[in-house]
Amino acid sequence: MAKAKGYSDENLSVRLADRYYRTEDASPDFLKNVEKIGMTIAHMCYQCGTCTGSCPSAPRSSYRIRKFVRRAVLGLENDALTDPDLWLCTTCYSCTDRCPRDIAPTDIIMAMRNLAFKREIVPRNFLNTVQFIYKTGHGVPNNDVNRAARVRLGLEAEPETTAKYAEFIPGIQKILDHYGLKDKADEILAEGQ
Amino acid sequence: MVDETKSQKPRVGVYICHCGTNIAGSIDIKELQDFAQTIPNVVLADEYQYMCSTPGQKKIEDAIKEHGLTGIVVAACSPRLHEPTFRTASKEGGLNPFRFEMANIREQNSWVHMHDRQGATDKAKDALKMAVAKASLLEDLFPKSVPVEHSAMVVGAGVGGIQAALDLASSGIKTYLIEKAPTIGGRMSQLDKTFPTLDCSQCILTPKMVDVGRHPNIELMTYTEVEKVEGYIGNFDITLRKKARGVLTPTEAETRGIVGGGCNGCGDCEQVCPVIKPNPFEMGMAPRKAIYIYHPQVVPLIYTVDFDSCVKCGLCVEACGEKKAIDLEQEDEFVTVKVGTAVLAVGYELFPVEKKTEWGYKRYDNVITSLEFERLICASGPTGGKVIRPSDGETPKKIGFVLCAGSRDNTGIGKPYCSRFCCMYSLKHAHQLHEKIPGSQSYLFYMDIRSFGKMYEEFYYRIQDEGAKFIRGRVAKIEEDPITKNPHVLTEDTLLGQPVDIELDMVVLASAVQPTEETNHVRHLFGVSQSMDGWLLEAHPKLNPCGTTTAGVFLAGVCQGPKDIPDTVAQAEGAAAAASIPIHVGEVELEPYFAMCIEEKCAGCGMCVNLCPYSALDLVEKNGRTVMQVTEAKCKGCGTCGGFCPGGAIWMQHFATPQIVAQIDAFLLGGEQ
């Protein structure tokens, strides 16, 4: 642009800032990385909306999976990775089931989350989940309410998992340590304190 | 001239075509030309921008005379495109056209190796020296002419088949029109109105149906299937199975000595028949009896007994009385007819959209297909044109139309192609709904509205103006309210970026189309290929859309790929014109690629006779010996016998063993013998 447009009022400048999408906003490797990590053909999307229409999260939130696929195709890395909606996918895979272009939109989201995590963009509750898994082997550990319900149904209080066989927890911890996931989670959480 | 050229040392002229930059862009023409000059037997190596142009051809013609060439090689595109061009040029130059050989350095080289110039050039050298090796050994051949039977066959009597048959017959050709159903008319006769003119489909089709029934040159055979196809262009012997319909036409009755009898379509039999079955013409939404007609306007107006459901109670025979039209013991009959050419117009069927389980077809009462909607809204349909909800018979006020229901689907469940007419008929359905049900509202769920034809975009404008709501989003799911049976359509309005849940009274799925179940069988009978998606394969998608790779067999209508009525009729007229050419010319030239028996070598073992897929070979006694003999007109030059013969006694013309061995030697040894 030859001349920058300015307003004396700072708030007005933000509100009226130009929001064109320009090719230089795009990160050329973003699509490639997303496709590689997600192992899916994001660039074949024809924006039909079947994914968002299938999404149980969409009617209850501002999460629009189709928009994330669009951002992948256009290489809008910052838009995608800094959008908090990225973390609203429940990974139910309904969109992947129904996508007429045989794309796995869920895996596109997972890939983006991977890339976001590398930039330490990740909600705290996800990091808490990492800590839970490290400690108990479960993202959602068994609790008293659940135990009581299981007993009422004639089941053992603890399911056939690390809840019952705590000796397998070190194995899980080894895996998380290998990827440095726990340390990273601890680190980010500590920074936020 | 034959002897003269045979005794000579081969003198081959090589021509390399740039094809603009199609070839020159990826292959080093100069290097190839220099190389060509070093190939044995090459006396001349030239290049030109466009060899297929008049100056390009002139080069060949002049050089043959000037240099006394015995063989021509053009390195250019596929022989499918320009082999005839250069054969003609060779002939003009005074050389037998079969001394021309083509090296394909475009489709099989420059286009697929665009980013490897040296690799492509090296490959072109191989192709070139192999072609020269063959051209050095080519011999004069003389095509055979065979007479063409003055008749044609059209398989399938929908609007495409009807049009093709009318055109062929009106140009003076005896035409057999074959239809497997009891009546002609096909899919078009099931439609209520046609887009964008809103003509009544039956009203514009029935005059043609009547014409077919009355045309002196058309022999209409309904309830008949093709059983066997033998022969070749000009001389097809086609065996037809006339399925037992249990009812005699007046003519058939007369041949049995029943004067004034036969079926007159009165329907007395139908009234007394106790067996009730769903009528496929009404998409199963109305009953028919075991003795039935599809609808009142059938051509021919002859009843048919469905022997799968008939209990042979004989009530119909009684009701028919003196006309004696019904014969419950009738059996299938076979007739063989001879035709010169054939047009296949075998149509389509709907993709079984229940396979896409998310839309709930066949699970939810109020989710129907577009063909069912056509019958519901048609005045002669099962409800007399009153659109009703299947669940409760109420009039639906809000109807959703789901486009691309199974089309443009790469999941392996649906069809990857666009079915091409669903957008337009769904617009038409929306119009009919607004017209028939005051206060109704239509919703079209679409990805793209493909209104590509003449006056189609204008039609789209009109329907939008009528108040149809367009929601740009492919339907993700349909759910049914268990109490009201109202379908809920779940999708995203991609333009708002918002998920929507729309409660409707009824949903119409614009189901994809697919080749009919019998298409594959018919194509095998006629030796026609199919494309990846199962539709019949045309000879060339742009320049020969009606022809097939089997000479004398042509295609019309949706069986070649989805198309609407105007396109089907246009293609049918094209196919009819193409099919009539050999018939009007009266003879066709067969490529002289047939097998020849070298009688001195033939041991008369007869193993080749059974192998031949075309029954072209026989064992005969000659000079006290048993030898094989080829019926040249039947031989297609496939080479099965030549490759098998244990004594090497079969000579495949133009693909002879020495010619092929020379090519292999040229490739492996660089041309050394």
Side-chain angles (χ1 to χ4, degrees):
Chain A
M1 286 246 157
K3 198 175 150 203
K5 204 195 272 181
Y7 296 91
S8 49
D9 183 341
E10 183 114 345
N11 290 330
L12 207 58
S13 287
V14 174
R15 255 183 60 204
L16 300 179
D18 127 30
R19 284 184 179 78
Y20 282 113
Y21 153 63
R22 295 193 172 84
T23 49
E24 60 264 33
D25 299 336
S27 151
D29 289 336
F30 186 50
L31 174 65
K32 223 186 324 174
N33 291 336
V34 165
E35 291 202 333
K36 196 176 158 208
I37 300 168
M39 293 193 287
T40 189
I41 44 172
H43 68 286
M44 291 312 298
C45 176
Y46 59 18
Q47 293 287 309
C48 66
T50 302
C51 46
T52 310
S54 301
C55 182
S57 180
R60 296 160 183 86
S61 71
S62 53
Y63 170 56
R64 302 286 177 265
I65 178 149
R66 180 179 57 81
K67 286 199 173 173
F68 280 96
V69 183
R70 186 83 192 127
R71 286 159 170 169
V73 173
L74 292 176
L76 298 175
E77 184 169 6
N78 282 336
D79 278 17
L81 302 190
T82 60
D83 185 343
D85 289 350
L86 178 60
W87 303 89
L88 295 178
C89 170
T90 65
T91 66
C92 73
Y93 280 94
S94 295
C95 52
T96 303
D97 262 2
R98 297 191 191 133
C99 173
R101 277 282 170 97
D102 221 11
I103 305 167
T106 319
D107 295 342
I108 293 173
I109 291 299
M110 302 296 267
M112 287 182 178
R113 286 180 180 178
N114 263 281
L115 293 169
F117 190 77
K118 280 187 190 159
R119 285 167 57 170
E120 301 191 4
I121 307 170
V122 53
R124 302 178 69 80
N125 56 330
F126 276 73
L127 299 171
N128 292 333
T129 305
V130 172
Q131 289 175 326
F132 275 130
I133 294 171
Y134 195 83
K135 210 156 51 186
T136 68
H138 280 267
V140 183
N142 209 3
N143 55 40
D144 287 341
V145 176
N146 199 29
R147 282 188 196 100
R150 287 180 62 90
V151 171
R152 219 173 30 250
L153 290 167
L155 298 166
E156 283 181 65
E158 302 290 351
E160 298 286 313
T161 64
T162 46
K164 192 169 163 189
Y165 306 103
E167 63 269 32
F168 291 104
I169 292 176
I172 289 168
Q173 291 175 341
K174 217 169 151 183
I175 296 169
L176 294 184
D177 285 338
H178 175 79
Y179 291 105
L181 188 58
K182 166 73 165 32
D183 291 344
K184 195 81 186 168
D186 287 348
E187 191 190 310
I188 301 171
L189 279 172
E191 270 171 29
Q193 289 301 318
Chain B
M1 178 165 171
V2 180
D3 293 330
E4 189 187 316
T5 46
K6 216 169 196 174
S7 54
Q8 266 179 10
K9 190 181 174 322
R11 293 173 63 80
V12 178
V14 172
Y15 295 89
I16 302 159
C17 179
H18 296 224
C19 195
T21 54
N22 275 312
I23 293 170
S26 343
I27 289 173
D28 190 327
I29 303 286
K30 184 77 185 59
E31 191 181 327
L32 193 59
Q33 191 187 359
D34 291 344
F35 171 79
Q37 256 137 7
T38 68
I39 304 174
N41 300 334
V42 171
V43 294
L44 167 85
D46 203 355
E47 43 78 36
Y48 194 64
Q49 277 281 322
Y50 293 102
M51 278 306 297
C52 56
S53 64
T54 309
Q57 294 180 55
K58 193 82 174 50
K59 271 174 179 286
I60 298 175
E61 293 169 31
D62 293 345
I64 292 171
K65 290 171 195 149
E66 214 172 290
H67 296 274
L69 300 178
T70 64
I72 299 290
V73 169
V74 175
C77 51
S78 161
R80 290 278 305 275
L81 291 173
H82 276 305
E83 191 177 64
T85 313
F86 298 125
R87 276 196 177 155
T88 309
S90 305
K91 198 174 169 186
E92 293 291 316
L95 200 63
N96 183 286
F98 293 91
R99 286 177 171 268
F100 164 76
E101 179 69 12
M102 202 151 182
N104 181 348
I105 59 166
R106 193 179 75 169
E107 282 83 348
Q108 291 170 0
N109 193 335
S110 67
W111 278 354
V112 284
H113 305 300
M114 251 174 215
H115 307 294
D116 179 7
R117 194 174 173 81
Q118 192 53 51
T121 307
D122 290 343
K123 185 173 170 180
K125 288 178 187 172
D126 283 339
L128 201 55
K129 66 190 178 195
M130 289 167 75
V132 171
K134 185 168 181 189
S136 305
L137 297 175
L138 285 174
E139 295 177 320
D140 289 355
L141 294 176
F142 301 93
K144 255 190 136 52
S145 280
V146 293
V148 176
E149 190 69 25
H150 202 81
S151 61
M153 178 174 288
V154 177
V155 183
V159 63
I162 287 173
Q163 187 63 52
L166 285 173
D167 284 10
L168 282 163
S170 301
S171 78
I173 296 165
K174 161 93 179 167
T175 305
Y176 299 91
L177 179 58
I178 311 303
E179 170 58 52
K180 73 170 193 298
T183 175
I184 64 172
R187 290 288 171 208
M188 185 174 168
S189 62
Q190 286 180 288
L191 310 181
D192 180 40
K193 285 183 176 177
T194 59
F195 59 80
T197 46
L198 300 171
D199 289 307
C200 153
S201 185
Q202 280 277 33
C203 312
I204 58 175
L205 181 65
T206 42
K208 283 189 189 288
M209 288 165 65
V210 172
D211 283 354
V212 161
R214 290 198 179 142
H215 203 294
N217 277 340
I218 293 180
E219 187 163 339
L220 176 59
M221 297 167 95
T222 53
Y223 215 51
T224 299
E225 288 176 10
V226 178
E227 186 75 11
K228 199 164 86 183
V229 179
E230 284 181 307
Y232 48 91
I233 180 170
N235 298 276
F236 289 108
D237 290 302
I238 301 180
T239 307
L240 303 165
R241 174 194 288 268
K242 292 177 77 176
K243 294 182 284 184
R245 77 192 300 163
V247 178
L248 305 178
T249 63
T251 335
E252 284 168 342
E254 217 169 293
T255 57
R256 291 197 186 185
I258 310 161
V259 180
C263 184
N264 63 3
C266 67
D268 291 347
C269 52
E270 190 180 12
Q271 279 171 18
V272 296
C273 179
V275 181
I276 295 176
K277 285 277 161 183
N279 185 353
F281 181 80
E282 303 289 3
M283 305 306 289
M285 294 185 295
R288 67 155 167 83
K289 297 294 186 66
I291 185 161
Y292 66 98
I293 51 170
Y294 274 172
H295 57 88
Q297 284 152 299
V298 293
V299 174
L301 180 55
I302 301 291
Y303 274 76
T304 303
V305 179
D306 168 16
F307 282 109
D308 288 335
S309 54
C310 172
V311 293
K312 299 205 176 177
C313 63
L315 286 172
C316 55
V317 181
E318 249 169 64
C320 190
E322 280 311 296
K323 292 190 293 292
K324 291 185 182 163
I326 300 171
D327 174 8
L328 294 179
E329 302 307 322
Q330 202 182 29
E331 285 181 355
D332 291 1
E333 261 178 65
F334 295 92
V335 286
T336 302
V337 296
K338 205 171 177 66
V339 297
T341 55
V343 176
L344 305 184
V346 293
Y348 70 96
E349 63 187 21
L350 287 191
F351 160 71
V353 73
E354 63 272 19
K355 283 189 183 172
K356 299 295 287 183
T357 50
E358 57 262 45
W359 297 321
Y361 178 62
K362 288 199 176 167
R363 274 190 297 135
Y364 304 149
D365 291 344
N366 294 326
V367 176
I368 63 170
T369 64
S370 44
L371 260 181
E372 286 167 349
F373 186 81
E374 286 288 349
R375 293 315 301 155
L376 280 181
I377 205 151
C378 181
S380 64
T383 58
K386 197 169 171 295
V387 181
I388 54 165
R389 268 156 58 100
S391 70
D392 52 14
E394 292 294 317
T395 303
K397 290 277 185 185
K398 288 163 77 178
I399 299 193
F401 298 92
V402 176
L403 273 60
C404 295
S407 306
R408 304 177 69 193
D409 180 314
N410 296 73
T411 60
I413 300 167
K415 302 290 168 187
Y417 46 80
C418 166
S419 294
R420 275 186 100 233
F421 42 83
C422 339
C423 282
M424 292 309 296
Y425 73 58
S426 294
L427 289 170
K428 179 201 70 179
H429 286 168
H431 165 82
Q432 288 175 292
L433 182 70
H434 301 154
E435 190 181 58
K436 284 225 169 171
I437 306 174
S440 61
Q441 178 65 57
S442 60
Y443 293 86
L444 284 92
F445 300 93
Y446 74 102
M447 289 194 273
D448 304 286
I449 295 290
R450 298 187 165 176
S451 51
F452 53 87
K454 188 173 179 181
M455 294 304 285
Y456 287 11
E457 186 64 21
E458 292 86 337
F459 190 67
Y460 177 19
Y461 185 96
R462 172 176 170 186
I463 306 311
Q464 201 172 358
D465 194 34
E466 285 175 6
K469 293 246 187 300
F470 291 82
I471 296 179
R472 197 209 168 269
R474 185 174 168 281
V475 173
K477 197 177 187 205
I478 296 173
E479 287 175 354
E480 184 184 60
D481 185 320
I483 296 156
T484 62
K485 300 282 176 190
N486 283 349
H488 285 247
V489 172
L490 303 174
T491 181
E492 181 193 3
D493 184 322
T494 56
L495 304 179
L496 278 179
Q498 192 177 342
V500 290
D501 170 350
I502 297 184
E503 183 175 356
L504 298 164
D505 298 327
M506 192 155 98
V507 169
V508 181
L509 302 175
S511 173
V513 295
Q514 65 179 23
T516 62
E517 218 180 302
E518 299 88 354
T519 301
N520 206 32
H521 178 59
V522 173
R523 113 186 148 73
H524 279 296
L525 289 174
F526 283 91
V528 174
S529 303
Q530 66 176 2
S531 45
M532 227 161 61
D533 41 28
W535 301 110
L536 299 182
L537 188 68
E538 64 286 342
H540 189 284
K542 290 171 190 67
L543 303 176
N544 196 350
C546 302
T548 69
T549 45
T550 302
V553 180
F554 302 87
L555 303 176
V558 181
C559 66
Q560 181 260 332
K563 52 181 71 67
D564 55 12
I565 294 167
D567 286 3
T568 292
V569 172
Q571 193 185 19
E573 300 214 88
S580 72
I581 292 169
I583 295 172
H584 288 313
V585 171
E587 57 174 27
V588 284
E589 266 192 3
L590 300 178
E591 294 224 65
Y593 295 162
F594 39 82
M596 284 195 337
C597 179
I598 307 167
E599 285 169 11
E600 310 87 79
K601 288 192 185 173
C602 178
C605 70
M607 291 170 109
C608 54
V609 175
N610 295 326
L611 285 173
C612 176
Y614 307 102
S615 320
L617 312 181
D618 294 293
L619 286 183
V620 292
E621 291 291 326
K622 259 190 195 170
N623 308 327
R625 287 181 59 218
T626 306
V627 291
M628 184 272 275
Q629 181 176 284
V630 183
T631 307
E632 288 169 354
K634 281 188 180 176
C635 175
K636 297 224 194 310
C638 71
T640 306
C641 58
F644 183 80
C645 179
I650 298 174
W651 181 266
M652 299 305 307
Q653 303 212 79
H654 208 66
F655 295 93
T657 306
Q659 293 165 356
I660 290 169
V661 169
Q663 283 184 288
I664 297 170
D665 282 348
F667 177 63
L668 295 176
L669 308 170
E672 297 162 34
Q673 296 295 313

